[in-house]
Amino acid sequence: MRRSSDELAKMRKAGKVVAEMHEATRAAIRPGITTRELNAIAAEVIEKRGARSNFLNYHGFPAVICTSPNDMIVHGIPGDYVLEEGDIISIDCGAIIEGYHGDAAYTAGVGQISPTAQKLIEVTERSLWAGIEQMTKGNRLNEIGRAVQKVAEGAGFSVVREYVGHAIGTAMHESPQVTNYWPGVPGPTLKTGMVFAVEPMVNVGSPETFLMDDGWSVMTADGELSAHFEHTIAITDNGPEVFTLA
Ligand code: MG
Ligand code: MG
């Protein structure tokens, strides 16, 4: 769907709130903090900015952010987990302003992390930006996933297939989906005013996933590390505009 400039202005505002949630949680990441405390920090930002949470109560999800450590790919529920030196932690944040949604995620290291973990984080973020570079009017949607996949697999990692990015607007998850791989067809033509959440999930090992009994936590099947980066991005006449940057 193509959004009006008025709608895009609201999404820009929602994106700024999400960016602030990133900054606040990132500043708090250290050994000894719980994922529940990180959730409380993000909730404070939502409150302070007069936004609403799109995560809370989403199909019953009980928090305003997802916190997914180490071999957890996405959708982790904040709780008693205590961050440890050497962990990596993926934090997914979202907010609604005047009915319009923002959605973005990052992965950070906790203290000193392994060279593999560091490389995984860098490559996953770079794969997201390679995807964003494809977001120009007239290009085809699935060029995004092709670019993401090239960076991730070029570094010796794999991209998750079962979970994907999405169009976003008056709902967090709108059609079409944005894969992080080339799905075999080019997909729709990108037009000015379209907005997508692009979100590569990159694994050190195999791309296979495993859903935990809590019905939310998505793990790598092989127990290897996974990272996740996401931005909400609009197609404009002058190229991509990333709404969820500070
Ligand atoms: Mg997200
Ligand atoms: Mg998303």
Side-chain angles (χ1 to χ4, degrees):
M1 178 181 287
R2 300 174 73 175
R3 303 287 170 185
S4 69
S5 58
D6 181 52
E7 290 180 292
L8 294 174
K10 289 171 183 171
M11 296 192 74
R12 201 172 279 123
K13 279 192 206 167
K16 288 291 180 206
V17 176
V18 176
E20 195 175 334
M21 293 166 79
H22 279 200
E23 285 189 327
T25 52
R26 196 186 269 280
I29 289 171
R30 56 176 165 75
I33 196 166
T34 64
T35 50
R36 180 180 289 110
E37 289 172 292
L38 293 173
N39 181 69
I41 288 164
E44 252 176 59
V45 173
I46 290 180
E47 166 97 42
K48 192 167 62 177
R49 295 300 167 213
R52 288 197 303 122
S53 175
N54 36 12
F55 287 25
L56 185 64
N57 299 323
Y58 182 85
H59 296 285
F61 192 78
V64 303
I65 63 174
C66 299
T67 52
S68 307
N70 299 323
D71 60 334
M72 196 184 291
I73 301 168
V74 282
H75 302 166
I77 300 170
D80 295 331
Y81 185 82
V82 180
L83 299 194
E84 282 180 35
E85 176 92 17
D87 280 352
I88 63 170
I89 179 82
S90 297
I91 301 200
D92 198 346
C93 300
I96 309 171
I97 291 275
E98 295 173 67
Y100 288 83
H101 291 243
D103 182 12
Y106 69 93
T107 301
V110 182
Q112 195 72 26
I113 61 173
S114 72
T116 301
Q118 189 61 50
K119 181 183 168 194
L120 176 68
I121 290 173
E122 285 168 11
V123 166
T124 307
E125 186 169 21
R126 188 149 50 80
S127 76
L128 169 58
W129 283 100
I132 291 171
E133 270 179 34
Q134 295 297 318
M135 299 178 73
T136 52
K137 65 175 178 179
N139 201 5
R140 303 292 285 263
L141 180 72
N142 294 335
E143 293 297 338
I144 298 170
R146 194 206 303 255
V148 166
Q149 180 175 25
K150 189 174 171 199
V151 170
E153 292 182 356
F157 298 140
S158 67
V159 294
V160 169
R161 303 297 203 269
E162 282 95 345
Y163 302 87
V164 295
H166 46 93
I168 181 168
T170 52
M172 180 160 58
H173 296 139
E174 298 184 348
S175 287
Q177 295 187 333
V178 184
T179 61
N180 295 305
Y181 56 92
W182 177 252
V185 292
T189 300
L190 298 176
K191 298 191 171 109
T192 295
M194 290 178 165
V195 188
F196 299 96
V198 178
E199 50 179 314
M201 288 145 262
V202 176
N203 295 352
V204 164
S206 94
E208 308 307 323
T209 69
F210 173 80
L211 183 64
M212 295 284 273
D213 286 344
D214 63 15
W216 286 104
S217 308
V218 179
M219 317 295 295
T220 60
D222 60 10
E224 299 277 357
L225 295 177
S226 183
H228 181 208
F229 278 83
E230 177 180 28
H231 274 305
T232 295
I233 307 116
I235 313 292
T236 80
D237 285 337
N238 307 312
E241 179 184 351
V242 182
F243 285 160
T244 41
L245 280 178

